[in-house]
């Protein structure tokens, strides 16, 4: 058997401790599967002696992750987090000093992925990051390796467990967004500052990475249309259900005639679709490709163990690889050949729309709305008017829900603006895109 | 860029022609992604000049696949089919003469997989077979690579598109098994002799391969409990639906205290589960593992293009690999270290059961059935008695459906036998296992 693969772990929090436990507990099985032992040779962390619930006896301690990256290890595992600072510096240092890198850091890759991929290539090193997107789901490996011969045309997924947990509970228990968030924070499913998750930004980071691998384009995390879930009400969720849909926060990238769409927004998906069955903190990614057709992968998107599973899988792939002249490129194509990102404008997006109006009930209001839609060439698939059980008084609030046939974002926005100008609405209209 | 990877394709039917077209049409993109060109250097087939809808100009023709395997190619792609004969001989010849092998042949692997994996290892060669199980779904790569650090505890899946197509149509359209089969044959979704598919044997071949990779055990295709779908009636499908289940033909392997269970049978799965949403010819595989938890992968399980996608992905992995001293083992562990298969007896299987009795309605019949279940320590989760809308005449046929709590196969079989002995049944009872 060959020499052990010496790994250095930078950052030993929940994921790092889970990883150390997995590598320790399964040392023999891993050696058997990989053809060589995997040893945790060194680690870095803020403090040396904190009890982390894992055994690091015999592993050399570094207080500086850059020094760890430059030490006598074979693989640098970056679990520090953050898009710049120590994570970026230490990963650069590792690649410059001949160490393969495994990272779970989506922010780092969304910002510096192309630079780091190029650095890995120049030095003939592996840069693996399965855990950075959708946790334990092997979506990077699937896109980068299994679908090598495919041209991917669309990827969409539930990439944030916090949002999906909240939408699931709001639907199942009928509780409000605010109550649900407070509860999720109490249970540890949402951060004290939940903006990053519920605002859609976490999903956007992950989407940026998937887009680059899917389309062979440079990573463009700042070019993503992002809309979070904080405007979603129980009324939307119920109306969606009644019309055969469920609301999910999706990250979507797709190729269109005018460029690449990257968008994160609450989305209506058909109730009977696979993606609609993904409840709680589970993640799922669906992708469409020219040869294979459609694949859907689902599983745990976060958590120490699921993330450690992906990181350990990446390490095992390195352990199984052998010294050679060339390494498969980190983003699926050589970094130099990634195409410049060509953004499709959101206004050109085509799809169906769910629109909910709250109106003062008067004769002619519905006709006026229908006319505005027609003026913008929008045809309607379904119309639901919620009339109270008792006789409606003139001027009372009433809900009108429209499901449009396929149309464009610009037409929908213009129609809604015109309807708002007509003065019948007594609340801001709600607009949710439909994805099939 | 390195020398082109020269591949030889044995058997140019639907899959082979799709593969040639993919490799031809995407030559530049593949070279870019793999770092070297992939050339179809040679092929073998029954006849040289048949029009196959693909361009093989410049590829050398062999009428003997063994000769092709021994020629100047780098990778031998076996698409001949069959568990013995030319497929086996040519794959052996390829591995003995230093060629990497890619095959889509589940029967070959189910029968000779361990021998071929050992041969590949001895010669430092790659043996890839993603297309052999679940077509375009990257389940082999996921189990063999992404989950390297996991111990898998259970795998279950819809592995045969014909059966799933039939069950889906029987449910959606209320047509009988016989009518559905005739229609599937007319449409080309079922063979003229459909036994291999609807009898569950195709699923069993695939399951045997998954079991070996999941548990590190030798392949044991003859040790599988196999029950096909030909006894499934519309009454079962309707009753399942009423009780919150859908019937799928599943292949299941799982580790139990008494050994490994491998079973193929119609199965009740909860209506809201992901696996229940898989309709038509689509396949899906769910797996449970100690670190990652549960993953579900779904996609096209058959068809020329989906299969070609998996074969091409396997070829690309070889193109990206570099000459070295050792290769990751084909079945996830070195062939010599695969454990002997330890079979769990089907009678020890534990789970819930759906049982449908057709009885002559008389006072005391239900009490007698309930007593028999209790005598065998079987507790009941649900009971449905279908009474006609009109008053029931004494002695008329009536359906009684039971859903049991978790119990053992032996208890259920003994209870049914006792009930049959009591003489109230006027048709063979139906028993369908529940999988959660």
């Amino acid at each position: 058997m060959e020499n052990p693969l010496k790994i250095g772990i930078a950052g030993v929090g929940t994921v790092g401790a889970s990883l150390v436990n997995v590598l320790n507990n399964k040392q023999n099985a891993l050696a058997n599967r990989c053809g060589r032992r995997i040893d945790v040779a060194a680690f870095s962390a803020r403090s040396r002696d904190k009890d982390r619930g894992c055994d690091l006896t015999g592993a050399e301690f570094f207080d500086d992750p850059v020094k760890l990256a430059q030490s006598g290890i074979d693989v640098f595992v970056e679990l520090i987090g953050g898009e710049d600072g120590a994570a970026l510096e230490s990963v650069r240092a590792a690649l410059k000093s001949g160490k393969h890198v495994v990272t779970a850091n989506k922010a780092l890759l969304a910002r510096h992925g192309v630079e780091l991929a190029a650095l890995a290539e120049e030095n003939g090193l592996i840069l693996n990051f399965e855990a950075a997107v959708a946790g334990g789901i092997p979506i990077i490996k699937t896109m980068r390796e299994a679908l090598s011969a495919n041209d991917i045309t669309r990827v969409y997924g539930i990439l944030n467990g916090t949002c999906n947990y909240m939408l699931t509970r709001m639907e199942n228990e009928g509780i409000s967004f605010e109550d649900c968030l407070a509860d999720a924070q109490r249970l540890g499913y949402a951060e004290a500052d939940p903006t990053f998750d519920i605002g859609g930004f976490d999903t956007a980071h992950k989407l940026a990475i998937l887009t680059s691998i899917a389309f062979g384009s440079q990573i463009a995390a700042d070019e993503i249309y992002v809309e979070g879930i904080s405007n979603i009400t129980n009324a939307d969720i119920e109306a969606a259900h009644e019309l055969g849909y469920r609301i999910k926060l999706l990250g979507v990238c797709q190729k269109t005639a005018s460029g690449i769409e990257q968008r994160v927004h609450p989305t209506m998906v058909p109730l009977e679709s696979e993606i609609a069955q993904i409840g709680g903190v589970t993640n799922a990614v669906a992708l469409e490709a020219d040869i294979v057709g459609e694949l859907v992968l689902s599983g745990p998107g976060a958590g120490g163990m699921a993330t450690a599973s992906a990181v350990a899988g990446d390490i095992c792939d390195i352990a199984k690889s052998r010294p050679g002249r060339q390494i498969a490129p980190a983003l699926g194509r050589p970094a130099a050949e990634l195409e410049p990102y060509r953004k499709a404008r959101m206004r050109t997006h085509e799809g169906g729309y769910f629109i909910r109006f709250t109106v003062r009930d008067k004769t002619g209001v519905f006709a006026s709305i229908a006319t505005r839609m027609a003026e913008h060439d929008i045809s309607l698939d379904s119309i639901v008017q919620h009339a109270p059980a008792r006789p409606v008084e003139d001027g009372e609030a009433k809900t009108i829900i429209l499901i449009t046939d396929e149309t464009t974002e610009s037409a929908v926005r213009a129609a809604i603006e015109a309807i708002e100008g007509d003065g019948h609405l007594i609340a801001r209209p709600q607009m949710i895109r439909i994805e099939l």
Side-chain angles (χ1 to χ4, degrees), chain A residues 240-258:
Chain A
H241 205 276
E242 196 176 325
L243 290 158
Y245 294 95
R246 183 164 284 149
I247 300 176
K248 295 292 185 188
L249 183 75
L250 295 191
V252 185
C253 61
Q254 72 187 109
K255 268 195 168 165
T256 72
S258 65

Side-chain angles (χ1 to χ4, degrees), chain A residues 380-405:
Chain A
L380 301 176
D381 177 72
S382 311
I383 299 157
V384 180
Q385 278 202 53
H386 276 289
R390 59 193 163 64
V392 180
E393 287 174 44
D394 200 50
E396 197 175 354
K398 194 163 109 175
T399 298
I400 296 175
I401 289 160
L402 308 179
I403 299 279
T404 76
D405 286 330

Side-chain angles (χ1 to χ4, degrees), chain A residues 74-205:
Chain A
D74 301 307
V75 181
F76 180 72
V77 180
E78 188 274 303
L79 301 173
I80 302 167
E83 65 182 55
D84 289 304
L88 177 61
E89 283 165 38
S90 61
V91 168
R92 277 185 185 145
L95 294 171
K96 283 178 184 164
S97 57
K99 315 301 190 303
H100 301 295
V101 169
V102 175
T103 176
N105 189 333
K106 57 192 175 285
L108 175 72
L109 292 163
R111 193 63 55 196
H112 305 285
V114 176
E115 175 207 323
L116 298 174
L119 201 53
E121 267 169 54
E122 282 162 30
N123 294 284
L125 295 164
I126 297 174
L127 170 61
N128 278 345
F129 48 89
E130 186 62 81
V133 182
I137 303 174
I139 185 64
I140 303 295
K141 182 177 274 290
T142 294
M143 291 170 65
R144 206 166 70 169
E145 301 174 23
L147 301 187
S148 286
N150 284 263
D151 286 296
I152 295 171
T153 48
R154 184 164 73 134
V155 183
Y156 61 98
I158 296 170
L159 300 172
N160 182 275
T162 304
C163 290
N164 205 51
Y165 170 84
M166 287 187 53
L167 291 171
T168 304
R169 282 200 63 191
M170 285 171 70
E171 178 174 348
N172 291 350
E173 302 171 32
I175 53 177
S176 71
F177 178 84
E178 291 72 21
D179 289 350
C180 193
L181 177 57
D183 217 38
Q185 287 171 319
R186 198 175 52 74
L187 293 166
Y189 289 130
E191 307 282 340
D193 176 0
T195 318
F196 191 66
D197 288 319
I198 65 174
F201 305 106
D202 172 76
T203 300
H205 275 161

Side-chain angles (χ1 to χ4, degrees), chain A residues 125-390:
Chain A
L125 295 164
I126 297 174
L127 170 61
N128 278 345
F129 48 89
E130 186 62 81
V133 182
I137 303 174
I139 185 64
I140 303 295
K141 182 177 274 290
T142 294
M143 291 170 65
R144 206 166 70 169
E145 301 174 23
L147 301 187
S148 286
N150 284 263
D151 286 296
I152 295 171
T153 48
R154 184 164 73 134
V155 183
Y156 61 98
I158 296 170
L159 300 172
N160 182 275
T162 304
C163 290
N164 205 51
Y165 170 84
M166 287 187 53
L167 291 171
T168 304
R169 282 200 63 191
M170 285 171 70
E171 178 174 348
N172 291 350
E173 302 171 32
I175 53 177
S176 71
F177 178 84
E178 291 72 21
D179 289 350
C180 193
L181 177 57
D183 217 38
Q185 287 171 319
R186 198 175 52 74
L187 293 166
Y189 289 130
E191 307 282 340
D193 176 0
T195 318
F196 191 66
D197 288 319
I198 65 174
F201 305 106
D202 172 76
T203 300
H205 275 161
K206 295 165 180 167
L207 181 65
I209 299 168
L210 294 182
T211 305
S212 173
I213 300 175
F215 305 133
S217 55
Q218 288 167 10
I219 297 174
D222 291 332
E223 305 288 345
I224 302 178
Y225 174 84
V226 182
E227 201 180 293
I229 62 168
S230 52
N231 288 327
I232 299 299
T233 66
N234 298 94
D236 295 321
I237 290 172
E238 281 160 31
H241 205 276
E242 196 176 325
L243 290 158
Y245 294 95
R246 183 164 284 149
I247 300 176
K248 295 292 185 188
L249 183 75
L250 295 191
V252 185
C253 61
Q254 72 187 109
K255 268 195 168 165
T256 72
S258 65
I260 293 171
E261 280 186 13
Q262 285 188 107
R263 46 196 168 86
V264 175
H265 51 69
T267 313
M268 299 270 183
V269 296
L271 267 181
E272 69 280 8
S273 65
E274 279 180 79
I275 208 97
Q277 315 315 313
I278 308 299
V281 296
T282 304
N283 282 17
V285 185
L287 48 85
E288 294 166 10
D290 60 344
I291 310 179
V292 77
E294 182 166 349
L295 294 179
V296 183
L297 285 70
S298 68
M305 289 299 269
T307 310
S309 169
V311 172
D314 279 352
I315 294 170
C316 290
D317 275 353
I318 294 172
K320 291 172 192 166
S321 78
R322 293 298 173 263
R325 280 158 292 168
Q326 213 176 331
I327 293 287
L331 293 167
R333 278 86 163 166
E337 297 185 26
L338 293 170
E339 290 173 16
Y341 180 76
R342 196 163 70 90
K343 181 183 182 175
R345 295 179 59 103
M346 195 60 199
R347 302 187 76 89
T348 66
H349 168 66
E350 292 179 14
Y353 290 78
F354 162 103
I355 309 167
R356 180 166 58 82
F357 295 110
T358 310
V359 300
R360 189 77 67 194
D361 192 34
K362 282 190 301 202
T363 311
V365 168
F366 181 73
S368 141
I369 289 175
T371 303
R372 289 300 191 189
M373 301 305 278
E375 282 170 5
H376 291 86
D377 279 332
I378 300 169
S379 67
L380 301 176
D381 177 72
S382 311
I383 299 157
V384 180
Q385 278 202 53
H386 276 289
R390 59 193 163 64

